[in-house]
Amino acid sequence: MRPVVRGPWPKDEDGNDINYKDYATARAELISRLGECCSYCEMRLNTALAVEHVQPKNPKGVSSPIRERELDWNNFLLACTNCNSTKGAKDVELTEYFWPDRDNTFRAFRYSEGGIIRPSESLPESKKKMAQKTIELTGLNKHPSHDPKASDRRWLNRGETWNIAQESKNDLQENDTPQMRRQIIRTAMGQGYWSIWMTVFEDDPEMKKRLIDAISGTAKECFSEGNYSPTHRLGGQI
Ligand SMILES: [Zn+2]
């Protein structure tokens, strides 16, 4: 899960914080700051990308929307239909999960062949549990082995992307030129699932730098200078 920076509350022409009357009007600004992809599963989407409320605006058991949550820029991310509907209206205790706008979420999960996502092996047990809870909250573990009739295709798309990234890496080994590197980045941006590309190219710092720079909103402070390995995020839980 790509760690992101949402940035400060957007201003109007007079330099005042925009007073959102409808959260959907924040969508364009969020896309320009975070890139056109789901903040959780990293699926690239041109349409059907919704403003996501980290803390739900209508948590279960509450009769009307909580306005402070509904219209709070600092509570917004972007989500696809699958992540949005899986997460739903479950009220969340922020400290029990990892969040891409607060934590170095790239450090929390391990991506592997087939598009499988698991908690990183290197985490202490308590953080592994948090990572697992985050995976379950957003349904990133949904797979036909769990539900053969699932309409959710995120796992399938991740698996395909893993194969494309691997083929791209092989192409680069055959023909390592700046042009080939740029072409692979274009493919990665069109394909989405940034974390998969970062994982497949984890031994190639120059490609990781290109990936970090290629999409708006990536939290650059989450990666070390020089080899672009994930580091602890200041203020985050990982
Ligand atoms: Zn998603």
Side-chain angles (χ1 to χ4, degrees):
M1 196 180 288
R2 184 176 64 112
V4 295
V5 177
R6 185 192 298 104
W9 200 300
K11 307 273 187 203
D12 63 19
E13 292 156 357
D14 301 324
N16 301 315
D17 285 355
I18 290 176
N19 186 6
Y20 290 108
K21 304 253 182 322
D22 172 1
Y23 64 85
T25 55
R27 185 175 176 271
E29 185 64 26
L30 283 164
I31 289 173
S32 113
R33 299 231 195 147
L34 303 177
E36 208 156 27
C37 55
C38 176
S39 302
Y40 300 124
C41 73
E42 308 177 275
M43 179 188 286
R44 186 175 150 72
L45 278 176
N46 301 325
T47 57
L49 196 58
V51 174
E52 146 74 1
H53 294 85
V54 174
Q55 293 197 287
K57 59 188 186 302
N58 278 64
K60 280 176 192 146
V62 173
S63 55
S64 58
I66 302 173
R67 294 294 278 179
E68 302 80 62
R69 288 187 182 182
E70 188 181 9
L71 303 172
D72 178 6
W73 170 257
N74 296 311
N75 192 36
F76 295 158
L77 286 173
L78 291 164
C80 73
T81 313
N82 293 130
C83 290
N84 212 339
S85 64
T86 310
K87 185 166 169 285
K90 186 172 188 287
D91 211 1
V92 290
E93 186 60 56
L94 294 180
T95 53
E96 293 176 6
Y97 302 86
F98 291 122
W99 302 102
D101 58 327
R102 184 194 63 194
D103 303 307
N104 186 351
T105 35
F106 186 68
R107 234 182 149 194
F109 307 104
R110 183 69 192 165
Y111 292 72
S112 55
E113 191 172 2
I116 307 298
I117 305 179
R118 294 190 188 91
S120 286
E121 278 301 315
S122 56
L123 298 180
E125 277 311 309
S126 60
K127 305 247 174 202
K128 263 188 203 158
K129 279 196 186 120
M130 283 174 68
Q132 185 60 34
K133 277 188 77 164
T134 309
I135 287 171
E136 286 167 15
L137 180 72
T138 46
L140 293 178
N141 56 346
K142 284 192 183 172
H143 189 271
S145 61
H146 295 151
D147 177 7
K149 289 189 192 134
S151 61
D152 191 327
R153 291 174 58 82
R154 289 175 294 176
W155 66 273
L156 189 62
N157 295 337
R158 284 198 303 271
E160 284 170 2
T161 301
W162 180 276
N163 294 341
I164 292 168
Q166 201 64 56
E167 282 167 23
S168 301
K169 189 180 173 186
N170 296 343
D171 289 346
L172 190 60
Q173 277 162 357
E174 300 261 309
N175 179 26
D176 193 343
T177 63
Q179 289 83 352
M180 177 65 87
R181 287 177 176 261
R182 284 200 297 273
Q183 180 56 46
I184 291 171
I185 297 299
R186 283 192 288 270
T187 304
M189 291 302 109
Q191 188 70 25
Y193 302 104
W194 182 88
S195 292
I196 285 178
W197 294 87
M198 283 290 283
T199 305
V200 168
F201 285 93
E202 66 187 348
D203 297 330
D204 188 333
E206 202 271 345
M207 283 300 278
K208 285 194 286 188
K209 179 175 181 350
R210 285 179 187 264
L211 287 162
I212 288 166
D213 291 340
I215 174 165
S216 33
T218 307
K220 296 186 182 179
E221 73 267 28
C222 288
F223 300 90
S224 66
E225 286 208 21
N227 69 2
Y228 300 94
S229 299
T231 55
H232 177 76
R233 187 171 188 176
L234 206 63
Q237 299 197 93
I238 191 169

